[in-house]
Every structure is written in C-alpha cells, then in structure tokens.
Amino acid sequence: MRFIDEFRQPSFAKALAGKIQKWAGPPVNLMEVCGTHTVSIFRNGIRDLLPPQVGLLSGPGCPVCVTPDREIDKAIALAKDPKVIISTFGDMMKVPGSYSSLNEAKAEGADVRVVYSAMDSLEIARDNPGKDIVFFGVGFETTAPTTAASVLEAKRLGLKNYFLLSVHKLVPPAMKVLLEAKEVRIDGFICPGHVSTIIGSHPYEFIPRDYGIPCVIAGFEPVDILQSIDMLLEMYSGAKAEVAIQYSRAVRSAGNLSALNIMSRSFQVSAVEWRGIGTIPESGLKLAKELESFTAEKHFQIRTKPPRKIPECRCGDVLRGVCTPPECSLFDTGCNPEHPIGPCMVSSEGTCSAWFLYSSREREDGILSMEAGR
Amino acid sequence: MCLAIPAKVVRIMDGDVAQVEIGGITRQVLTTFVPELTIGDYVLLHAGFAIQTIDEADAQETLELLTIMAQEWEGDA
C-alpha cells in the first residue's frame, strides 16, 4: 500500500535503530500521547530496538479510555428508552460504565448500533423518522470535525430526530496537565499524527516554549516512529526544544483550515472530566449555542445512578504514564481483553490491551491467562 | 481513534463526494474537508471522510533522505 509500505522498509528501520542505539546521553523518557502510536510501537517491536536509556511512556491519547463512566452510563440510560436508537463507534461497545456496557444493554434489548462514521448515524435518523437517534460522539480532533459535519448536515436537512451526546476532547490540554502535574519526567513528546493533520503544529508550541520540552509530530509506521525518536534525541542533545513535523506528508503546520473552521462554528470548548485524570479546563467539545437543539442532554431527561469506581483499577495511573499495565494488580489476574475491568483493557488502542496482546511475559506455567480461561 | 488510511482518488462527484481506491477496493468518501481534489491525489481516510491530502513530493523527499541514511549506515557497517 502506497505511503505505508515505504515507511516499513527494514533498511530504513535498521539505520534509524542503529543510530538511536548509539545514544550516549542520560536516560530519557519519551511519551507517545496517542493510543494508535502505543499499538504501533508494540506491534512493530519498537521497544526492543531502543537502548535501555531511551524509555517510552504511554499517555492519555485513547479517547475511548478517557470517556468517563458517567457518560457511558448516560448513553446506556438513553439506549434503554424504547424510542431511542444509540449509534456509536465499535470500540465503545464493551467499555464498562459504572454498572453495565452498551454491549450488555444491547443484549438486554436496547437498540444500539455500531457505525463507522457520524454520517451513518444521520442515515439511521433519516430511515427511522419515528425514533430519536443519538450519536455518541467519541474521539479527539481527528474525529470531532466529522461529527460537526453530521450535525450541520442534520440542520441543513431540518432533521428533528438526530442528537449528539458529545464526549469529544482536545489533546493539547491533557498534555499540559501532565506537564503541570509533574508525576513523571517527560523529556520529549511523540505527538499524535492524525490529530495534527487537523490542528497542525501550533497548538503544541507552548510545550517547548514554556517547558523546554521538544515535540515531534509522528506518523504511524515503524520508520515514522523511529525517525521521530531520532529527531527528539537530536533536539534533546542539542538543547533545542521546538515542535517538529516528522509526518510532513500528512501534517501541515497550519493544520486543516476547513476542518478547523467547521469545528469552531459547531462547538464550544468547556471543562470536562477525563476518566482517570479528572477535570481538565477547556478540553472538551460541546455543541455551540446555535446547535443546542441537537444536544442530547438538552433534549432528553437523562437519569443515571451515581457513578461507581473500582478501587483496584489503575487505568488512571496508566493513562498519566505513572505506572505500566503490569504494575496494576488487576492486570492479567482478572482484567484481560475478554473480561475487561477498565477501559484501557477494552479499547483496541488502550495501553493495557496493547501490553497484554503484544508483550511477551514470563509466566510460571507459560500459559496465557486467556487461553486458560481465567 | 487515530486510524486513517491513505487512499487514491479515482472519481470526483458532486456534493462533496469522491470515490477512492485502497488496496484494490473502491469506496465512497466525503470530501468536505479537502475541497480541491484532483483525480490521482492521495488522501487520508478517517470515519468516512477524507481529512487531508497527502503531499507526495514531501513523502518522496523524506524517502530520499532515508535512503541516503540507510546507504551511509550500510557503508559504515
């Protein structure tokens, strides 16, 4: 596949890995913010190519993982209304809320449908005039414009049965919170490639400017990631902090103006809760006043029980880079992809799921807990 | 989710729609965010939309740099 295969070439990976392995500087921690990067790093064995002084930390860039249980509870409550059809991206189906999941609600008779695009939800609304369709809008800046487009189209069509339950979030504010919290030392950021096709490089500039930390916007193929690590190490050793674009074939520094324009017309920014992290100011997207008639919370009276936390679940710590999945007591002892307890294990981009599926672990009996049916 | 795939534009239709080809499969996508497209352009696909065009010249440049780096690496080895 063009623009994929070329960035998987072994000769390129070998040269980059060889250069990185010569790192003679102090130990550095690089954080990959985006869940898709975490998975790519595991899938391609990138960690094994790095010298011990170059460490990788996973960050909170998994939009499914940071959706609060309270919001999932709302979606489930809406789904249980016989007049409502909830549409959602597939990844949200198995994520546990406080008491249940959308998948379980569906099994119990709720009309929950998996869609690939927000526009599919619009189709469902057009095909079911007697029902109310609520789209559960999950995702960062890559996806938010597509949701916005669906709402603007619903307005254009005069649809009265299409609503949005938005849990869309912005990435740079979460990066700021991690830097301010100082729970982990971050020496460089591998910035999300596709979020950046939309937002460009300017939103990250506060990081080198105010914290002296370099950022590289990275593509997702192994060569992209290795080249980005190399670029970060160069900046670190040159004491030169700035935002560089490795993924320049897809990311322009100004981002995608037409997508940014649609987002600013459709959304207002507000403080929202991030599961496992807490409330982050100016980090969430809700519909703008002119589009409030499409906001699910304004149209429906959504009643949920108070959210309930599972104390041993350390998804929050994992999302902030404070611990690795195996350091959670539930990892592989009760929490696995078949029976996930927290969202990091459910999402295909969750750090715990990536760790579970891809890293080799020494176990006493040498059998993976999934296969043993535990 | 950050998943987006490169796809080649094979047909441009009215109403912000285009047909693209990925690995032999053709599908329809919305071009709301990439207003100026030509047949043969490559775009990134995400959730039913093209979210950006791929700059082929830039990709070529990056690959050329990587090729030189790899050759030098082999040379030193």
Side-chain angles (χ1 to χ4, degrees):
Chain A
M1 275 179 62
R2 253 196 104 187
F3 301 112
I4 300 263
D5 297 341
E6 306 93 317
F7 294 90
R8 289 184 179 168
Q9 284 197 64
S11 61
F12 295 163
K14 211 168 137 190
L16 287 163
K19 193 174 169 222
I20 293 167
Q21 276 157 17
K22 288 185 171 168
W23 175 249
V28 293
N29 279 344
L30 304 176
M31 177 176 271
E32 87 270 359
V33 180
C34 171
T36 312
H37 274 140
T38 305
V39 172
S40 185
I41 285 166
F42 267 110
R43 201 175 261 156
N44 294 292
I46 303 273
R47 271 192 177 77
D48 296 338
L49 296 174
L50 305 178
Q53 318 92 279
V54 178
L56 293 176
L57 289 170
S58 299
C62 164
V64 169
C65 305
V66 296
T67 300
D69 21 18
R70 184 192 320 254
E71 298 296 326
I72 296 174
D73 298 344
K74 277 154 108 172
I76 293 170
L78 282 167
K80 288 185 171 166
D81 182 334
K83 206 182 164 234
V84 171
I85 300 175
I86 284 263
S87 60
T88 176
F89 295 130
D91 230 29
M92 289 308 293
M93 290 297 285
K94 287 190 188 170
V95 181
S98 304
Y99 304 93
S100 184
S101 68
L102 284 165
N103 217 26
E104 281 175 42
K106 184 178 170 119
E108 288 161 14
D111 196 341
V112 182
R113 306 198 194 174
V114 171
V115 294
Y116 162 68
S117 169
M119 299 308 269
D120 296 338
S121 299
L122 209 53
E123 274 308 298
I124 297 173
R126 294 174 75 170
D127 293 343
N128 293 273
K131 299 263 181 168
D132 288 330
I133 282 68
V134 179
F135 177 58
F136 196 14
V138 181
F140 293 122
E141 295 95 325
T142 326
T143 317
T146 71
T147 299
S150 78
V151 176
L152 292 174
E153 183 65 2
K155 184 175 178 185
R156 193 186 73 84
L157 294 170
L159 282 186
K160 299 282 178 241
N161 64 335
Y162 183 69
F163 303 95
L164 173 65
L165 180 64
S166 173
V167 288
H168 286 299
K169 295 179 174 56
L170 306 174
V171 170
M175 295 168 78
K176 181 170 179 167
V177 159
L178 294 183
L179 289 167
E180 286 294 312
K182 299 189 171 94
E183 288 175 303
V184 285
R185 195 193 76 235
I186 300 168
D187 301 306
F189 277 110
I190 298 170
C191 297
H194 293 136
V195 161
S196 306
T197 65
I198 303 295
I199 70 175
S201 59
H202 304 310
Y204 306 106
E205 277 162 8
F206 74 94
I207 298 171
R209 186 192 67 218
D210 301 340
Y211 300 92
I213 291 170
C215 295
V216 173
I217 298 172
F220 296 89
E221 297 312 311
V223 169
D224 290 317
I225 295 171
L226 286 168
Q227 189 173 35
S228 301
I229 293 172
D230 180 48
M231 286 165 72
L232 281 168
L233 294 174
E234 291 269 329
M235 283 200 269
Y236 184 91
S237 61
K240 172 184 161 195
E242 59 181 32
V243 180
I245 302 174
Q246 179 280 334
Y247 196 24
S248 47
R249 62 192 183 276
V251 177
R252 322 271 128 84
S253 55
N256 181 319
L257 294 173
S258 115
L260 287 171
N261 184 278
I262 286 184
M263 274 175 69
S264 69
R265 278 164 49 204
S266 314
F267 291 119
Q268 51 184 324
V269 177
S270 64
V272 293
E273 192 198 330
W274 289 54
R275 192 169 187 164
I277 297 177
T279 302
I280 301 183
E282 295 182 23
S283 68
L285 296 174
K286 302 288 170 195
L287 286 174
K289 285 247 168 327
E290 312 84 73
L291 294 171
E292 254 176 13
S293 58
F294 296 96
T295 300
E297 292 100 320
K298 298 266 182 229
H299 183 85
F300 298 96
Q301 279 263 41
I302 309 174
R303 279 188 200 86
T304 56
K305 290 192 269 191
R308 180 183 68 166
K309 303 252 171 285
I310 299 152
E312 305 89 359
C313 173
R314 295 190 70 187
C315 271
D317 289 343
V318 170
L319 289 165
R320 297 188 327 276
V322 166
C323 80
T324 59
E327 291 172 282
C328 170
S329 63
L330 296 175
F331 182 80
D332 201 17
T333 60
C335 186
N336 59 53
E338 285 298 295
H339 302 106
I341 293 175
C344 299
M345 188 59 88
V346 179
S347 174
S348 56
E349 302 191 325
T351 306
C352 298
S353 155
W355 212 284
F356 188 95
L357 294 171
Y358 294 107
S359 76
S360 58
R361 304 178 316 281
E362 302 294 288
R363 287 182 52 83
E364 308 172 348
D365 48 14
I367 300 169
L368 288 176
S369 63
M370 262 176 76
E371 286 162 4
R374 268 175 278 146
Chain B
M1 292 207 289
C2 255
L3 296 169
I5 336 174
K8 184 176 181 181
V9 176
V10 293
R11 201 172 147 217
I12 298 172
M13 288 115 88
D14 290 333
D16 286 350
V17 179
Q19 262 187 356
V20 300
E21 190 240 311
I22 317 159
I25 300 170
T26 316
R27 57 194 305 176
Q28 206 152 285
V29 301
L30 289 163
T31 57
T32 320
F33 306 119
V34 285
E36 284 155 28
L37 278 183
T38 322
I39 293 182
D41 282 350
Y42 276 81
V43 291
L44 270 179
L45 241 59
H46 175 77
F49 285 78
I51 60 169
Q52 189 53 290
T53 49
I54 295 183
D55 185 337
E56 297 189 50
D58 185 283
Q60 262 318 110
E61 236 183 84
T62 306
L63 292 169
E64 274 160 19
L65 275 164
L66 287 166
T67 305
I68 294 171
M69 182 188 258
Q71 281 165 356
E72 284 173 354
W73 183 258
E74 282 305 308
D76 289 343

